[in-house]
C-alpha cells in the first residue's frame, strides 16, 4: 500500500504547493488525480517516489518510510515505483530497444549499470515489454523517429521492464490527440488489470479520468478537495 500522511510541500521560492494531504492507495487500484493547472498534481506524484522531497509529512510504501531510506533503499523503491513523464523522457538518439533496456538498469550492479552490460535475459524482457505495447517492429528505430503516442508506449514498456508494483504517470496523454490518448489509457488499464499494477495518473481531462479510473482524487490550490468513486464526482471541482 502507498500512503501519504500530512504531506506538505513548500518550494524554495516559498510557493505552498501541497498541504494536509492524506491518502491511502491500495494494491491494484487505478487512481486518477485531477485538478486545474498549478493545483499540485505533479508535485503530489513526484513526492510519491521522492523526485520531490516533501517539506513535511510522510510517504510509505508497504510500511517502508521513503524519507528514512538510504540511497540504495531509494533505488530499490524506485524500481517498485515506476514514473512516466508527459514528455516521455526518452533518449532521442538511442534506439527503441536501448531506451527500454534502461528499465532493466535497476536490476544491475553499479558496474553493469555504468557500462550498460545487459544479458540475453534483459534483451528478452525488453523485447517482451515492447511486444506488450505492440512496438516490437520498431525496436531498432531511433526514438526520435517515433510519433508522440509511440514514444509514450516505449516509456510504458521501459517502466514495465522494471517490474513495478506501482506506476506513477504525470499527464502522460496531455500532448496527444484524443484517439491516441485513449490508446495509451488502454495500455494503462491493461497493466492495471492484467499485471495488477497500482496506477496513479495525473489527468487534466476529467472525462478521461471518469472513463478509466475507479477512484478519483481532486486537488485545488494544493489541497485535497475530492477523494471518491468516479461516479460521485460533481462538476464543481
Ligand atoms: P500541476 O501539476 O497541478 O499543474 P504543480 O504540482 O506542477 O501543479 O504545481 C503546483 C504549484 O507549485 C504551482 O504553483 C507551481 O507553480 C509550483 N511549482 C511547481 N514546481 C515548482 C518548482 N520546482 N519550484 C517552484 N515552484 C514550483
Ligand atoms: P506477462 O507474462 O503477462 O507478459 P510478465 O510478468 O512475464 O508478464 O512480464 C511483464 C514484463 O515485466 C515484461 O515486459 C518483462 O520484461 C518484465 N519482467 C518479467 N519478469 C521479470 C523479472 N523477473 N525481472 C524483471 N522484469 C521482468
Amino acid at each position: 500500500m502507498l500512503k501519504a500522511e500530512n504531506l506538505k510541500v513548500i518550494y524554495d521560492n516559498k510557493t505552498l504547493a501541497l498541504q494536509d494531504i492524506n491518502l491511502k492507495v491500495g494494491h491494484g487500484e487505478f487512481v486518477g488525480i485531477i485538478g486545474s493547472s498549478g493545483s499540485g498534481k505533479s508535485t503530489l506524484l513526484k513526492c510519491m517516489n521522492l523526485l520531490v522531497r516533501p517539506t513535511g509529512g510522510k510517504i510509505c510504501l508497504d510500511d517502508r518510510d521513503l524519507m528514512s531510506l538510504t540511497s540504495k533503499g531509494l533505488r530499490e523503491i524506485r524500481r517498485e515505483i515506476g514514473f512516466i513523464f508527459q514528455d516521455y523522457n526518452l533518449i532521442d538518439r538511442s534506439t527503441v530497444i536501448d531506451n527500454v533496456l534502461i528499465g532493466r538498469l535497476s536490476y544491475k550492479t553499479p558496474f553493469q549499470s555504468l557500462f550498460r552490460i545487459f544479458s540475453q535475459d534483459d534483451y528478452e524482457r525488453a523485447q517482451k515489454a515492447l511486444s506488450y505495447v505492440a512496438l516490437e517492429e520498431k525496436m531498432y528505430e531511433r526514438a526520435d523517429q517515433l510519433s508522440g503516442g509511440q514514444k509514450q508506449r516505449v516509456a510504458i514498456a521501459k517502466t514495465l521492464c522494471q517490474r513495478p508494483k506501482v506506476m506513477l504517470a504525470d499527464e502522460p496523454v496531455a500532448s496527444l490527440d484524443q484517439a491516441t490518448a485513449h490508446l495509451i489509457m488502454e495500455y494503462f488499464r491493461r497493466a492495471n488489470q492484467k499485471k495488477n499494477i497500482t496506477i496513479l495518473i495525473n489527468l487534466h481531462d476529467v472525462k478521461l479520468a471518469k472513463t478509466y479510473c475507479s477512484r478519483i482524487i481532486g486537488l485545488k490550490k494544493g489541497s485535497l478537495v475530492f477523494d471518491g468513486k468516479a461516479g460521485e464526482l460533481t462538476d464543481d471541482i
Side-chain angles (χ1 to χ4, degrees), residues 7-21 38-44 47 52 55 219-224:
L7 208 62
K8 182 179 198 171
V9 174
I10 302 172
Y11 284 110
D12 292 343
N13 62 3
K14 309 260 188 293
T15 305
L16 175 64
L18 284 181
Q19 59 180 335
D20 300 327
I21 304 286
S39 60
K41 302 184 297 296
S42 183
T43 303
L44 177 59
C47 281
V52 166
T55 316
L219 291 180
K220 197 172 191 171
K221 294 184 182 154
S223 295
L224 204 142

Side-chain angles (χ1 to χ4, degrees), residues 157-172:
K158 169 176 143 184
T159 306
L160 285 177
C161 254
Q162 276 172 239
R163 292 201 105 197
K165 284 189 188 151
V166 181
M167 267 191 188
L168 307 172
D170 192 7
E171 306 245 13

Side-chain angles (χ1 to χ4, degrees), residues 100 103-104 107 121-122 124-130 132 157 159-164 194-195:
V100 175
R104 299 293 303 158
Y107 285 89
D121 181 55
D122 294 321
E124 278 164 15
R125 287 184 192 287
Q127 216 165 328
K128 192 167 159 203
L130 274 174
Y132 186 79
T159 306
L160 285 177
C161 254
Q162 276 172 239
R163 292 201 105 197
K194 299 235 162 80
K195 295 182 186 288

Side-chain angles (χ1 to χ4, degrees), residues 1-5 7 47-48 50 53-54 57-70 73-74 77 81:
M1 184 200 287
L2 192 60
K3 200 166 68 179
E5 255 176 48
L7 208 62
C47 281
M48 295 291 185
L50 294 199
R53 196 165 264 275
K58 223 167 146 177
I59 305 274
C60 297
L61 179 66
D62 302 333
D63 296 325
R64 281 166 294 172
D65 177 353
L66 266 57
M67 265 136 79
S68 66
L69 292 174
T70 59
L74 191 57
I77 281 277
I81 309 177

Side-chain angles (χ1 to χ4, degrees), residues 4-221:
E5 255 176 48
N6 300 324
L7 208 62
K8 182 179 198 171
V9 174
I10 302 172
Y11 284 110
D12 292 343
N13 62 3
K14 309 260 188 293
T15 305
L16 175 64
L18 284 181
Q19 59 180 335
D20 300 327
I21 304 286
N22 288 288
L23 273 182
K24 280 182 190 167
V25 178
H27 189 56
E29 283 199 72
F30 192 153
V31 183
I33 302 170
I34 61 169
S36 54
S37 188
S39 60
K41 302 184 297 296
S42 183
T43 303
L44 177 59
L45 218 58
K46 287 174 179 162
C47 281
M48 295 291 185
N49 77 345
L50 294 199
L51 285 176
V52 166
R53 196 165 264 275
T55 316
K58 223 167 146 177
I59 305 274
C60 297
L61 179 66
D62 302 333
D63 296 325
R64 281 166 294 172
D65 177 353
L66 266 57
M67 265 136 79
S68 66
L69 292 174
T70 59
S71 58
K72 181 167 177 281
L74 191 57
R75 257 206 316 279
E76 277 167 18
I77 281 277
R78 288 199 175 129
R79 176 199 295 169
E80 293 174 49
I81 309 177
F83 201 97
I84 290 179
F85 297 85
Q86 177 181 347
D87 57 1
Y88 328 117
N89 210 28
L90 302 178
I91 302 168
D92 280 344
R93 289 164 170 279
S94 291
T95 59
V96 165
I97 184 89
D98 283 345
N99 270 286
V100 175
L101 278 167
I102 289 172
R104 299 293 303 158
L105 285 178
S106 57
Y107 285 89
K108 304 273 108 183
T109 63
F111 179 83
Q112 290 171 327
S113 186
L114 183 62
F115 294 101
R116 301 281 158 102
I117 300 170
F118 295 106
S119 64
Q120 187 61 29
D121 181 55
D122 294 321
Y123 278 93
E124 278 164 15
R125 287 184 192 287
Q127 216 165 328
K128 192 167 159 203
L130 274 174
S131 74
Y132 186 79
V133 295
L135 273 182
E136 232 179 335
E137 80 280 8
K138 301 274 183 197
M139 193 155 71
Y140 299 115
E141 286 196 25
R142 259 173 54 162
D144 57 5
Q145 306 291 321
L146 304 182
S147 68
Q150 290 169 336
K151 285 181 182 169
Q152 201 53 289
R153 280 149 67 192
V154 174
I156 292 172
K158 169 176 143 184
T159 306
L160 285 177
C161 254
Q162 276 172 239
R163 292 201 105 197
K165 284 189 188 151
V166 181
M167 267 191 188
L168 307 172
D170 192 7
E171 306 245 13
V173 299
S175 19
L176 305 174
D177 62 72
Q178 273 293 312
T180 311
H182 279 282
L183 180 75
I184 296 295
M185 290 304 293
E186 283 296 339
Y187 282 115
F188 283 113
R189 169 137 70 191
R190 279 178 50 197
N192 176 249
Q193 293 181 348
K194 299 235 162 80
K195 295 182 186 288
N196 207 22
I197 297 174
T198 307
I199 297 187
L200 275 81
I201 186 166
N202 283 351
L203 292 165
H204 195 76
D205 182 341
V206 179
K207 260 208 214 122
L208 272 184
K210 281 184 164 180
T211 307
Y212 291 92
C213 307
S214 45
R215 173 177 170 192
I216 292 186
I217 284 168
L219 291 180
K220 197 172 191 171
K221 294 184 182 154

